[in-house]
Amino acid sequence: MVTPGLNALMFRFRARSFRSVGVPDEFATIARELGQFDAEDSLLRMLASLVTASHEFIGIADLEGNAIFVNEAGRELVGLRDLKAVRSTQIIDYFPTDEHRRILDEVLPAVRNTGFWEGELTFRNFQTGQLIPVLYNIFPVRDSTGTITAYGTVTRDLIESKSAEQRLRSLASIVESSDDAIVSKSLDGIIENWNRGAERVFGYTSAEAIGQPITIVIPADRQSEEREILTRIRRGERIDHFETVRQRKDGSLIIVSLTVSPVRNVRGQIIGASKIARDITEQKRSQEQIATLAREAEHRSKNLLATVQATVKLSQSETPDGLKRAIEGRIQSLANVHSLFVQTRWIGADLATIATQELAPYFDKDQRRVRLDGPPVLLEPDVAQVIAITLHELATNAAKYGALAVPGGQVELKWSHDAGRQLRLRWRESSGPKVQEPTHKGFGGRIIERMIAQRSGQALFDWRADGLVCEISLEV
């Protein structure tokens, strides 16, 4: 902004000097009309260049309020083509009608009485009618005797400045409300700005962090990273999405994604760095969990398919329909136990629940036909599948040939689990048809023996006259 004193100096030179220093004709004409003043040619050249090159509205009016001069930037602002167009206007023409009385009653008297007036007014564009908010400065121009000979004005367009101010305000609001840590630091690594996101992520308040080295959030074994970052920033490089570890005020470690950019001054020189740090600890933990679950799902799927494959391979029957029913029953048993895994999120399945599920079709109303007895035992998925198939085969055999094939037959299943992780199950049938030891091992028996053996266990069959007793032991 040009001050009143400097504007008064604008015309303290001899009119004869104008052309010798290349002053624009319109500027020289105005100076002649205002009178003869003393000044050096160099000062004239400087002031003339200032007025001509200024991006602000600079104008002069006589004491009657008639416009004499408006520089090029001013004419562009209010829509006047040239100096001739300027000279057909008055001061009040530059403002909308509702501000005329204020100009005449407040602004001009204040200039005459106090020597200066500044305030926000509204210009009117002569061509488009657009209203332009401005910061309006008006002051008297005096001759060498101190007599006021004209009014000078320097006016700033507030549309651009207010827009820029609003943008800055919006940016500041975004920075402050961001969940990410947004930090600026000097090229020496000293923290200069610290938003609320940084307070939340790192635990330090802005008062605690500003003025401290950024290394307060860098673990001791990663201090070299900061030196490398600052080296790259000094070269003008930007660092995008660099994943590393940082340390909170309480000493806990977090995983962050860093984006670091150079900060330049108006001359384009790099004076610091801005850093955005996003806490991705939970995201990384979730990714690791997903990867673990994927590996676990692959492992379980392979085990399940291997069990199904073994079941199908060992299944035999005298008829195709019999083979189909045998395979369907065994696969259904696997499906049932898998539904239990889902309920526990694949932690495993309770032995009592597996037994109840497999023997449910044979329970009578008072549950005397099937009796279960044993402590709570949670079986891992692989073991649970083996036990489910084993109980399915025993129940199927009992329903066809054993105790469950007659109304009065009974089945008792007991189990124990010792401190050495040894699981023992005892299946005992009674009150069924008279039993004779088979001359050859049935398909169900072979399936049980092979599956238990795969778990380094043992299955023993005792064909007693009053019913089958099967004892199974394996580590779980």
Side-chain angles (χ1 to χ4, degrees), residues 19 40 62 65 69 142 184 210 215 266 277 339 366 371 405 433 439 464 472:
R19 294 195 180 278
E40 296 296 331
D62 63 22
F69 169 79
R142 303 175 185 273
S184 68
I210 292 175
T215 50
V266 293
S339 68
D366 55 7
R371 288 177 294 175
T439 57
R464 300 178 183 179
I472 296 171

Side-chain angles (χ1 to χ4, degrees), residues 339-359:
S339 68
L340 301 179
F341 298 158
V342 173
Q343 295 174 17
T344 63
R345 296 189 178 183
W346 280 86
I347 295 174
D350 178 64
L351 175 54
T353 305
I354 295 173
T356 301
Q357 191 169 256
E358 291 299 331
L359 295 170

Side-chain angles (χ1 to χ4, degrees), residues 34 39 86 99 116-117 170 181 188 203 232 263 291 296 324 349 389 411 434 438 441 449:
L34 293 176
V86 169
E99 287 192 351
F116 184 71
W117 187 90
S170 298
D188 296 324
R232 294 177 61 181
V263 173
E296 185 66 20
K324 178 181 177 181
I389 291 292
V411 170
K434 188 175 180 180
K441 195 174 293 296
E449 286 183 340

Side-chain angles (χ1 to χ4, degrees), residues 222-251:
R222 291 180 178 265
Q223 295 286 319
S224 61
E225 291 181 358
E226 178 62 13
R227 293 190 292 272
E228 174 63 22
I229 288 172
L230 288 176
T231 298
R232 294 177 61 181
I233 289 298
R234 290 188 181 97
R235 293 200 299 258
E237 296 180 22
R238 173 186 167 96
I239 301 165
D240 283 314
H241 308 301
F242 170 54
E243 292 187 6
T244 185
V245 176
R246 290 295 180 259
Q247 185 170 295
R248 290 173 48 82
K249 180 181 178 181
D250 61 9

Side-chain angles (χ1 to χ4, degrees), residues 312-332:
V312 173
K313 185 176 180 180
L314 293 171
S315 297
Q316 296 184 26
S317 179
E318 295 178 356
T319 66
D321 286 343
L323 178 61
K324 178 181 177 181
R325 286 192 297 271
I327 293 175
E328 284 179 345
R330 288 158 184 164
I331 292 178
Q332 184 60 52

